[in-house]
Amino acid sequence: MSGAALGIEIVVVFFLALFLLHRYGDFRKQQRMVLFGTLLAWYLCFLIVFILPLDVSTTIYKQCKIDHEEHASVPTASSNHTAANTSVTPTKSVPTPCYKPWSYIPDGIMPVFWRVVYWTSQCLTWLLLPFMQSYARSGGFSITGKIKTALIENAIYYGTYLLIFGSLLIYVAVHPQWHLSWYELQTIGITAANTWGLFLLVLLLGYGLVEIPRSYWNASRHGHLLIKTYFKASKLMTEKADAEENLEDVMEEVRKVSESIKYNHPLRKYIDTILRKCPVDYQEKMGRNMDDYEDFDDKQNTYPSEKSLVKLHKQVIYAVQRHNRTRVQWQILLQQAIHLEDVAKNETSSAHQFVHSFPSSEPAGWFSRYVYTPTAEWYWECFLKCWFYRLLSVVLTLFSVAVVWSECTFFSTRPVLSLFAVFIQLAERDYNYLYIEMACFVTIFFLCTCVYSTVFRIRVFNYYYLASHHQTDAYSLQFSGMLFCRLTPPLCLNFLGLIHMDSAISHQQKEQTAYTSIMGSMRVLSFIANGFYIYYPMLIVILCIATYFSLGTRCLNLLGFQQFVGDSEMTSDLIDEGKELIRREKRKRQRIEDGENRRREWKERYGNQREDYTARNRGSHEMKETSYSDTVAASNNRQAKYSRSGSRSERDCIELLQDAEPLDFNAETLTDDPLEAEPGRHAGGRYLSMSSSRSRIFTTSDGKNKCEAEP
């Protein structure tokens, strides 16, 4: 089993990162480079989290072997004194035999593995992802143009790194007493990156430790959850209207540019690229209004520059992405609000059968028919779910209290005050590796959930926002990858400090984990190892108190950013507005469903009768045509025998009468706007009977039939 656990976790973590990327990204529309960079960043961070417990258990096993070797050397060292006093018995107990863990990783693998994972993630977060972020956001029409724009935007970013690094080298060069090797310079760089990450980590962790348990507790209160959904609906509708207005303005600008630049203009290829990024209905509208036969004239018209087209291209990408995101989010939020209203109605039902306001039109599967029946759904939604969320909230609250206590006391080794260190040391006495790995995994998974969920929840205006259901843009995806790569290493070091596996903080002479050895010795910068890393995490207590009393939310609400505050008049107005919006959407959906039901009932009631009537008419018509054709054929044969055929002009009149159109189309009401006509239908117009025109096709000026006037 050596190395098998490592291989299994590598594969499982890859599919986990791929699943999350599929949920938030769009494999069909987004660039492959963006998807690959984000997937690699998420994968490496999740890999560190899942593999670290294996490193801890392997390190404990190595420490056990070292202790046994030291214990075995004690009798050998004192063998010369045993003959003098044979009555003295040893007071030191024999340690428990070491058993190799099932997930043991052979020597030499973990250091190489951590070195590759860590430095790859650091290159991604500090070098590649910022460049790829600017590249994906650029509105350039060629690869060269996008690379040029990305380099210009990141010039200050990269220049700052070079300035800091150069200043550090100059400072070391002018002090001869400092003899820093490459290893020490590398450790200083790692320490600087981890310090920046720890600064942001404590802020996010302090928010998540309180907000995650509270969110599950609020989820058990259906009334509170429904009111908050109304509030979200009002805010989202405002954002949706703003996105639609912004898209209309951008499309109007595209239309003007498209009409000014004709088909044979050198910049027309850029316009075609912009049009392909527009919604389909706008493309059809602009295509109909485009006159490709009109040449351009450089002397009379003024044309936009390529730089302005690049800016317009960037605006189109952003406007379309925002419009699609708000539209999908509105449908999802509407479905959630309707479901919560259904739960509120069914809670007072005595039949214990969950009834949906808008049942699904899809046929129920075997799970819904036999397992998740309406009765089971009622018990889960109206009774069991709220208690499950409350129990989960209490458990998560206990975990949060344990984390806060351990963050404030993990520097104390005698006595051991950190709760997680106590749990690991108790399991270490019996070398229960499975318990050690599970305890480490649960602890670090909870810490990562508090931090990563905050990353997924925060929103920096409209520049950074992770939206599910494939609605996250490329900029936000890569920004999240950068945050993950910067937060995960200090998070793992903080976890190792909580369980006293980091000798730089615990100051214990113990075997170091392979991960700690890659990070380097923090004693190079003692003021950080003995000061910042120990006392700064205590700030988490203040952050948790501020989050509990929603101080940040109240400050944002005072600054004009609409937040859900229970005692605010603005919040009450938005809740009432959201309730009215949901009621209006429900009426609209109800009308659509009633119309479909009436059409279905009409088809079921009269569809069979109409088909039978049509079949009978078709059969009688075919019989009449057969008898009529036989009669006409017989008469034609008799006329062929006793008379000659008609003149040429008579045959022409007959053919023209057969080819004449029975209807005339009056296109005066045809609209020029393709958006006003329903897709799949012909444009507006009136069909007029031609009973009078047919009779006047071959009428002469004196009112007589032209065919009859032929000699």
Side-chain angles (χ1 to χ4, degrees):
M1 292 295 291
S2 295
L6 179 63
I8 293 173
E9 291 197 1
I10 288 175
V11 176
V12 171
V13 170
F14 174 78
F15 285 104
L16 175 61
L18 190 65
F19 168 76
L20 288 177
L21 183 61
H22 176 264
R23 176 177 174 81
Y24 287 91
D26 193 343
F27 289 169
R28 295 178 299 176
K29 297 181 180 180
Q30 289 175 336
Q31 300 177 5
R32 297 292 180 266
M33 183 183 66
V34 173
L35 297 174
F36 177 75
T38 307
L39 176 63
L40 184 60
W42 289 7
Y43 174 60
L44 293 177
C45 295
F46 295 161
L47 202 60
I48 295 176
V49 172
F50 278 78
I51 302 300
L52 191 60
L54 304 184
D55 191 5
V56 172
S57 63
T58 302
T59 303
I60 292 176
Y61 172 70
K62 292 180 181 179
Q63 184 65 40
C64 177
K65 292 175 61 177
I66 294 175
D67 294 341
H68 272 270
E69 292 176 358
E70 293 178 354
H71 183 270
S73 62
V74 171
T76 304
S78 60
S79 58
N80 296 328
H81 302 280
T82 54
N85 190 3
T86 57
S87 62
V88 177
T89 58
T91 58
K92 188 174 182 179
S93 60
V94 179
T96 306
C98 297
Y99 299 101
K100 183 180 294 186
W102 68 279
S103 59
Y104 176 75
I105 300 175
D107 296 339
I109 294 180
M110 289 306 299
V112 176
F113 176 81
W114 287 129
R115 189 174 290 110
V116 171
V117 170
Y118 178 77
W119 287 113
T120 303
S121 64
Q122 293 305 301
C123 289
L124 281 173
T125 185
W126 297 105
L127 298 176
L128 296 180
L129 284 180
F131 175 82
M132 295 166 61
Q133 197 174 25
S134 300
Y135 180 90
R137 192 175 52 177
S138 172
F141 298 100
S142 62
I143 298 177
T144 305
K146 292 184 177 181
I147 292 176
K148 182 180 178 180
T149 303
L151 289 177
I152 293 175
E153 289 184 359
N154 288 274
I156 300 177
Y157 188 75
Y158 295 137
T160 305
Y161 291 159
L162 293 177
L163 180 62
I164 295 175
F165 186 72
S167 302
L168 182 62
L169 290 180
I170 294 174
Y171 184 78
V172 173
V174 297
H175 290 77
Q177 68 273 14
W178 284 27
H179 300 285
L180 295 180
S181 62
W182 169 250
Y183 174 78
E184 292 174 340
L185 288 176
Q186 175 181 320
T187 303
I188 291 175
I190 295 175
T191 304
N194 290 336
T195 302
W196 187 94
L198 183 63
F199 177 80
L200 184 60
L201 173 67
V202 172
L203 298 179
L204 300 179
L205 188 61
Y207 176 83
L209 288 174
V210 176
E211 191 61 29
I212 289 182
R214 183 163 59 185
S215 64
Y216 281 103
W217 182 266
N218 291 333
S220 65
R221 302 160 56 194
H222 292 156
H224 177 272
L225 196 59
L226 182 58
I227 291 175
K228 193 171 184 178
T229 305
Y230 289 149
F231 176 82
K232 292 181 179 179
S234 178
K235 288 186 60 177
L236 186 58
M237 177 54 71
T238 304
E239 184 182 356
K240 183 172 177 289
D242 186 34
E244 292 175 352
E245 183 179 355
N246 183 31
L247 182 63
E248 289 286 347
D249 295 339
V250 175
M251 290 299 105
E252 180 64 21
E253 185 68 22
V254 172
R255 184 190 63 80
K256 293 179 181 179
V257 175
S258 178
E259 291 178 355
S260 63
I261 299 180
K262 303 303 179 183
Y263 72 100
N264 53 353
H265 195 280
L267 297 178
R268 184 63 199 181
K269 57 182 180 180
Y270 300 146
I271 298 298
D272 295 336
T273 302
I274 295 175
L275 289 176
R276 284 193 293 269
K277 302 295 179 61
C278 299
V280 179
D281 48 358
Y282 287 99
Q283 292 182 24
E284 295 176 353
K285 182 178 180 179
M286 296 176 190
R288 289 176 181 266
N289 295 333
M290 179 66 187
D291 186 6
D292 287 342
Y293 297 100
E294 184 179 354
D295 295 337
F296 72 94
D297 187 2
D298 291 333
K299 298 180 181 180
Q300 297 180 0
N301 298 329
T302 57
Y303 299 100
S305 61
E306 183 178 351
K307 186 177 181 181
S308 62
L309 291 180
V310 169
K311 183 179 179 181
L312 181 61
H313 187 203
K314 185 176 180 179
Q315 292 176 353
V316 168
I317 295 174
Y318 172 75
V320 172
Q321 172 68 28
R322 185 185 176 194
H323 175 262
N324 293 335
R325 187 191 70 216
T326 53
R327 179 174 52 84
V328 173
Q329 286 181 330
W330 172 253
Q331 296 298 327
I332 296 172
L333 188 63
L334 177 62
Q335 191 65 31
Q336 293 177 356
I338 293 175
H339 177 72
L340 291 174
E341 290 181 349
D342 291 343
V343 172
K345 293 178 181 178
N346 283 274
E347 282 180 344
T348 57
S349 175
S350 59
H352 294 180
Q353 296 280 331
F354 197 90
V355 179
H356 293 272
S357 299
F358 301 97
S360 177
S361 58
E362 299 179 358
W366 66 270
F367 183 78
S368 299
R369 290 196 304 266
Y370 301 107
V371 180
Y372 199 61
T373 60
T375 302
E377 185 177 3
W378 185 91
Y379 277 102
W380 167 251
E381 294 289 346
C382 301
F383 181 71
L384 296 177
K385 188 176 181 179
C386 60
W387 287 104
F388 172 76
Y389 279 163
R390 289 173 185 173
L391 179 61
L392 182 60
S393 177
V394 172
V395 174
L396 293 177
T397 302
L398 295 178
F399 262 99
S400 298
V401 172
V403 170
V404 172
W405 171 262
S406 300
E407 290 285 357
C408 296
T409 59
F410 72 93
F411 58 88
S412 176
T413 57
R414 293 182 182 179
V416 178
L417 299 179
S418 175
L419 298 179
F420 299 106
V422 172
F423 297 152
I424 297 299
Q425 290 179 7
L426 288 177
E428 187 178 353
R429 295 177 182 177
D430 299 330
Y431 299 102
N432 190 346
Y433 298 110
L434 182 61
Y435 173 80
I436 292 173
E437 293 174 3
M438 292 301 299
C440 291
F441 176 76
V442 171
T443 304
I444 196 172
F445 182 78
F446 177 73
L447 294 175
C448 291
T449 302
C450 295
V451 176
Y452 292 166
S453 63
T454 308
V455 174
F456 280 98
R457 289 185 182 187
I458 61 176
R459 178 176 181 178
V460 184
F461 299 103
N462 287 319
Y463 295 99
Y464 171 73
Y465 182 37
L466 289 175
S468 58
H469 298 84
H470 322 290
Q471 299 303 314
T472 306
D473 59 348
Y475 183 87
S476 299
L477 284 175
Q478 293 179 330
F479 189 76
S480 66
M482 292 169 54
L483 286 180
F484 282 3
C485 291
R486 297 179 188 183
L487 291 172
T488 303
L491 175 65
C492 294
L493 281 179
N494 181 258
F495 164 74
L496 292 176
L498 292 179
I499 62 175
H500 292 177
M501 295 291 290
D502 188 358
S503 59
I505 296 177
S506 62
H507 303 287
Q508 294 179 350
Q509 298 298 327
K510 295 178 63 176
E511 182 71 14
Q512 288 189 353
T513 61
Y515 185 82
T516 308
S517 63
I518 296 303
M519 294 294 103
S521 177
M522 297 298 174
R523 295 184 178 89
V524 178
L525 299 175
S526 58
F527 67 93
I528 293 181
N530 299 328
F532 184 79
Y533 278 11
I534 293 178
Y535 297 106
Y536 179 72
M538 296 181 183
L539 186 63
I540 201 171
V541 178
I542 301 176
L543 295 173
C544 288
I545 295 174
T547 305
Y548 179 79
F549 291 103
S550 303
L551 297 183
T553 301
R554 297 180 184 274
C555 291
L556 290 175
N557 192 44
L558 291 176
L559 293 176
F561 298 97
Q562 298 170 351
Q563 301 293 321
F564 184 77
V565 180
D567 54 354
S568 174
E569 183 178 356
M570 179 64 70
T571 302
S572 302
D573 295 339
L574 291 176
I575 290 173
D576 296 337
E577 182 181 350
K579 186 183 299 184
E580 182 61 31
L581 289 172
I582 298 299
R583 187 181 297 114
R584 187 189 309 167
E585 291 292 334
K586 288 180 66 176
R587 289 198 300 265
K588 184 188 300 184
R589 182 175 292 189
Q590 188 66 46
R591 287 195 299 268
I592 295 174
E593 186 173 343
D594 292 342
E596 293 178 355
N597 292 334
R598 284 194 297 268
R599 285 192 295 269
R600 190 182 302 110
E601 292 176 0
W602 179 272
K603 185 177 180 180
E604 292 176 355
R605 181 177 301 177
Y606 301 105
N608 297 331
Q609 299 178 5
R610 184 177 181 182
E611 292 176 359
D612 296 341
Y613 178 74
T614 304
R616 288 197 300 269
N617 288 343
R618 187 183 300 111
S620 60
H621 182 67
E622 290 176 355
M623 292 177 62
K624 290 180 180 179
E625 284 184 349
T626 303
S627 60
Y628 176 74
S629 60
D630 294 340
T631 305
V632 172
S635 62
N636 289 338
N637 291 333
R638 288 195 296 269
Q639 291 178 3
K641 289 181 181 180
Y642 301 105
S643 64
R644 58 179 186 159
S645 59
S647 63
R648 182 176 180 179
S649 60
E650 183 178 356
R651 292 196 303 269
D652 293 340
C653 291
I654 295 173
E655 291 176 358
L656 287 173
L657 286 172
Q658 291 176 352
D659 295 338
E661 288 289 341
L663 299 175
D664 184 22
F665 179 75
N666 185 7
E668 295 177 357
T669 60
L670 181 63
T671 178
D672 292 332
D673 191 358
L675 300 180
E676 295 180 1
E678 295 182 6
R681 294 176 179 263
H682 297 288
R686 291 185 293 114
Y687 290 95
L688 302 178
S689 174
M690 279 209 47
S691 59
S692 60
S693 61
R694 173 184 281 235
S695 61
R696 292 194 296 268
I697 291 178
F698 302 103
T699 304
T700 60
S701 60
D702 56 355
K704 295 183 179 181
N705 192 302
K706 185 177 179 180
C707 294
E708 294 177 356
E710 292 291 338

